[in-house]
Amino acid sequence: MDRIPQELALDILSRLPIPSLVQSKSVCQDWRTLTHDQLLVNKHFKQMVENDPSFILQIMGYSIQNQLYFGDLSSDRNDGNVTMIAKKLTIPPLLNFHLVSSCNGLLLLRATHPSFELCIYNPFTRDYIELPKLSHHDGVRGFGFDPTTKKYKVVEISYKRTTPFTFSHRVVRFGMRRSHQTETSSSSLIESEVHILTVGSPTWRNLGCFPFRFMWQKSQVLVNRKLHWRTTTNLIMSFDLATEQFKEVPRPDVITSNSDRRFHELVILRGCLSAVSFDGNNQELEIWVMKEYAVKDSWVKQFNIGAYVPKIFQSNYQCHSSSNSRFYLPKNCIQVLCLLRNGGILLQYGNKAIVFYDSHCRTFQDIQVTFEGISSCFTAVAHVASLNSTDTFVDA
């Protein structure tokens, strides 16, 4: 292996999936050294950007909840069928944990451990860093890369009730105007307390409070180097990892607090911030894509997705006389995962099925997922391995 030029070796290794890349460390000392090379990591993620997204899946089950898998999509050129092979990843020596999000290949894990709660795991090197604990555990989290400092940051937003006086005082700190829609009651107000940790720092910083309550989200929404959440009042708020400031992002006009279209989730589709809503009139999922970031007029309704029941659920519905399957499979059980290069959309139904939706033919296809080392079907949560191609990957 030592006769292969380094440039060629880098090109070969950059085309491997994460599990194979980790295994390549055992080939020889030179390749082991290359797996820690910054140039290799940059080339590998450039390959990911040019191809369809990769997936990290966590198996949910009493006896196997500590297992993580790398999902590799493939399609048959003859019949067009899409399959996913899930290869088992080596995990850090933790007790029960939950996969929170990912950024540039690093995984943010929430662990149940007496000494720490959060850790960042690098599946390339199998190294992990334990993060300092906070005194509370409820709320939403975000994980991203700050390009100005070349550091990763973790944001945690928890909730508490306060008085109107304290509420108004805290709003000034974030520069929010009182005209913004807030969530108030006659006796108390709910505000979000924001903490941030720069990875490598020994302590969290308290950024104060924010007059909105954010909705919990399953997947990372990191666009334009900003984290994004939706609030319970249907606003879209961004958090700039460099300036550490919140700002409202314009939403599609059809998504308002009084609209029949229920705001379902925020997602990333080929690098664009996208909003998924449920149209109560025609019972369809609508996907709105912001073609130009932060420009209100650039929102475009790009997809309408009708009702579908994956095969794994169909046996449960056959005993029901009602033909309205939407009642038995509510839209909040459906998650939009990603947009593929061929224009198709990957959807996850109730953590039990991954479905390919052909946006041109408006057809659905259940994707067969084969888990390496597991003979039967288990519930899985899929996370798109997020990446901003303009960022620089650094070791955790």
Side-chain angles (χ1 to χ4, degrees), residues 345-393:
I345 300 175
L346 284 189
L347 306 168
Q348 179 171 288
Y349 287 74
N351 294 341
K352 290 183 178 294
I354 296 179
V355 174
F356 171 76
Y357 174 70
D358 189 322
S359 58
H360 303 293
C361 302
R362 298 180 66 86
T363 57
F364 297 85
Q365 176 193 326
D366 290 41
I367 293 181
Q368 179 182 356
V369 183
T370 303
F371 290 100
E372 184 181 75
I374 297 181
S375 58
S376 56
C377 180
F378 291 87
T379 300
V381 177
H383 284 251
V384 179
S386 62
L387 171 74
N388 187 331
S389 60
T390 59
D391 290 342
T392 301
F393 182 94

Side-chain angles (χ1 to χ4, degrees), residues 125-141:
T125 63
R126 300 180 182 177
D127 297 326
Y128 71 97
I129 292 179
E130 302 173 4
L131 303 184
K133 291 185 67 174
L134 279 173
S135 59
H136 49 76
H137 304 282
D138 297 327
V140 299
R141 294 181 177 91

Side-chain angles (χ1 to χ4, degrees), residues 4 78 143 158 235 244 246 296:
I4 300 178
N78 296 323
F143 174 44
S158 58
L235 298 179
E244 298 182 355
F246 285 96
K296 182 179 178 62

Side-chain angles (χ1 to χ4, degrees), residues 101-168:
S101 65
S102 64
C103 179
N104 290 358
L106 298 179
L107 308 181
L108 177 64
L109 305 177
R110 178 178 180 178
T112 55
H113 194 280
S115 62
F116 70 96
E117 183 186 20
L118 294 174
C119 79
I120 295 177
Y121 177 56
N122 189 334
F124 275 100
T125 63
R126 300 180 182 177
D127 297 326
Y128 71 97
I129 292 179
E130 302 173 4
L131 303 184
K133 291 185 67 174
L134 279 173
S135 59
H136 49 76
H137 304 282
D138 297 327
V140 299
R141 294 181 177 91
F143 174 44
F145 181 73
D146 178 4
T148 60
T149 61
K150 308 298 182 183
K151 296 289 185 179
Y152 287 87
K153 293 182 178 181
V154 179
V155 181
E156 179 159 307
I157 303 169
S158 58
Y159 308 113
K160 67 177 183 178
R161 291 186 178 275
T162 184
T163 63
F165 174 78
T166 304
F167 180 81
S168 299

Side-chain angles (χ1 to χ4, degrees), residues 73-84:
L73 283 175
S74 63
S75 58
D76 191 316
R77 294 182 178 180
N78 296 323
D79 55 21
N81 288 331
V82 181
T83 61
M84 178 184 291

Side-chain angles (χ1 to χ4, degrees), residues 169-184:
H169 174 74
R170 296 281 192 170
V171 171
V172 176
R173 178 167 184 173
F174 281 101
M176 300 299 298
R177 300 177 181 176
R178 294 185 180 180
S179 61
H180 279 233
Q181 187 176 2
T182 58
E183 304 167 48
T184 63

